[in-house]
């Protein structure tokens, strides 16, 4: 229709103003030029429409992937609350029977810690400094139940760049240490936290529990952390272990804010 309409208009205009006489060769040539013009305009239009549609599909796919990732992250974060609550209520139950006053102090600190956890779980990331403060308080509570059985050492050199880490990452790492090791006052578990490039390294001496039937299992805690790091950073956690030590590397990302975490060494 475009070719016939364009050819008719061109030939009619030329005949009307008397430019060219009408003959079949001129008509064929005009039709050929109209065909080439149709290919040029139609091709450009089709390319534009195809590119525009491809962009829309890519955007829709990206939005779908983002929604899927957010829903997965939300589901993974919701696994933290029962896990954390169950472990610490067991500690509180034991303290109530042994020392009610100590249990009351533990409950106050636990409520404060749990409130902090609820606040940070609203975000996917927290600053490394806040997560380390959380870890120190967590270990303090743990050592009220097991005096001098766990030693936490934070060995960080001063950095001008603050890091962001998955919220609750150190909680899961410390719970994993406690779950799979037996600690005593005379044979404590020493947990070292170091910074290497954009990874936080948590290592400890191994004193495996005899009832641990699945020493190679990540269980819910580290499996949760592995999935969240993969979704948010595109990097997985790294685990290295031998007969004496266990090491967990957690990926982080740089935070370009101005806060600086000073080097400390905390023993609780």
């Amino acid at each position: 229709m475009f070719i016939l309409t364009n050819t008719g208009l061109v030939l009619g205009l030329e005949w009307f103003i008397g430019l060219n006489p009408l003959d079949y060769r001129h008509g064929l040539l005009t039709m050929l030029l109209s065909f080439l013009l149709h290919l040029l305009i139609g091709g450009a239009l089709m390319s534009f429409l195809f590119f525009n549609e491809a962009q829309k599909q890519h955007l829709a796919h990206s939005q779908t992937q983002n929604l899927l990732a957010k829903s997965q992250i939300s589901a993974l974060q919701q696994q933290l609350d029962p896990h954390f609550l169950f472990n610490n209520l067991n500690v509180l139950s034991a303290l109530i029977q042994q020392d009610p006053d100590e249990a009351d102090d533990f409950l106050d600190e636990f409520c404060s810690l749990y409130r902090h956890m609820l606040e940070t779980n609203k975000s996917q990331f927290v600053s490394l400094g806040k997560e380390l403060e959380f870890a120190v308080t967590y270990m303090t509570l743990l050592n009220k139940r097991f005096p001098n059985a766990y030693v936490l050492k934070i060995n960080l050199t001063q950095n001008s760049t603050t890091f962001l880490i998955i919220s609750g990452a150190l909680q899961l790492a410390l719970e994993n240490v406690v779950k799979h090791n037996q600690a005593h006052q005379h044979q404590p578990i020493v947990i070292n936290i170091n910074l290497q490039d954009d990874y936080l390294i948590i290592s400890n001496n191994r004193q495996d529990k005899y009832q641990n039937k699945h020493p190679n299992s990540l269980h819910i805690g580290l499996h949760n952390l592995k999935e969240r790091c993969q979704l948010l950073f595109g990097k997985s956690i790294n685990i290295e272990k031998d007969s004496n030590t266990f090491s967990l590397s957690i990926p982080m990302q740089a935070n370009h804010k101005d806060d600086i975490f000073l080097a400390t060494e905390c023993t609780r």
Side-chain angles (χ1 to χ4, degrees), residues 45-250:
L45 180 60
M46 290 297 294
S47 298
F48 172 77
L49 293 176
F50 178 79
F51 177 77
N52 191 47
E53 185 65 23
Q55 288 290 96
K56 289 181 179 179
Q57 291 182 3
H58 177 72
L59 179 60
H61 177 72
S62 298
Q63 291 175 340
T64 301
Q65 291 296 105
N66 288 337
L67 289 174
L68 177 61
K70 288 180 180 179
S71 65
Q72 289 175 317
I73 292 168
S74 178
L76 289 169
Q77 286 180 319
Q78 290 173 7
Q79 295 179 16
L80 301 182
D81 293 358
H83 197 229
F84 182 80
L85 187 62
F86 176 78
N87 289 342
N88 284 279
L89 286 180
N90 282 338
V91 173
L92 179 60
S93 176
L95 283 176
I96 290 174
Q97 299 177 22
Q98 297 177 7
D99 190 338
D101 292 333
E102 188 74 9
D104 187 60
D105 293 338
F106 181 92
L107 182 59
D108 289 339
E109 293 192 48
F110 172 71
C111 289
S112 176
L113 196 67
Y114 195 74
R115 187 181 304 111
H116 173 79
M117 191 194 74
L118 290 176
E119 292 175 354
T120 56
N121 273 0
K122 295 177 182 178
S123 303
Q124 297 172 355
F125 309 102
V126 294
S127 69
L128 177 58
K130 288 185 178 181
E131 193 71 0
L132 290 172
E133 290 176 4
F134 181 92
V136 171
T137 305
Y138 178 88
M139 294 302 295
T140 301
L141 291 179
L142 184 65
N143 275 292
K144 285 189 176 182
R145 175 67 179 89
F146 307 104
N148 301 317
Y150 295 92
V151 178
L152 176 65
K153 294 184 177 180
I154 302 175
N155 313 300
L156 299 182
T157 57
Q158 182 172 347
N159 287 277
S160 59
T161 304
T162 304
F163 287 93
L164 293 176
I165 192 170
I166 299 274
S167 61
L170 279 180
Q171 172 202 326
L172 293 176
L174 295 175
E175 284 182 346
N176 183 72
V177 174
V178 174
K179 181 178 181 180
H180 295 287
N181 292 276
Q182 51 185 355
H184 306 283
Q185 183 175 1
H186 302 294
Q187 289 182 309
I189 294 293
V190 180
I191 304 171
N192 287 282
I193 298 180
N194 299 279
L195 186 63
Q196 182 177 344
D197 298 327
D198 56 349
Y199 278 85
L200 193 68
I201 315 297
I202 303 98
S203 59
N204 63 276
N205 56 311
R206 290 184 61 178
Q207 296 176 180
D208 295 343
K209 290 183 178 178
Y210 296 118
Q211 64 268 31
N212 185 6
K213 298 180 181 180
H214 304 286
N216 296 320
S217 174
L218 292 180
H219 301 292
I220 185 174
L222 295 190
H223 180 72
N224 180 299
L225 184 60
K226 177 182 177 181
E227 293 295 323
R228 293 174 67 197
C229 288
Q230 193 66 50
L231 286 169
L232 294 172
F233 293 137
K235 298 179 182 179
S236 181
I237 61 175
N238 296 320
I239 295 176
E240 297 180 3
K241 59 182 178 179
D242 55 32
S243 58
N244 298 317
T245 60
F246 180 92
S247 177
L248 170 66
S249 301
I250 304 175

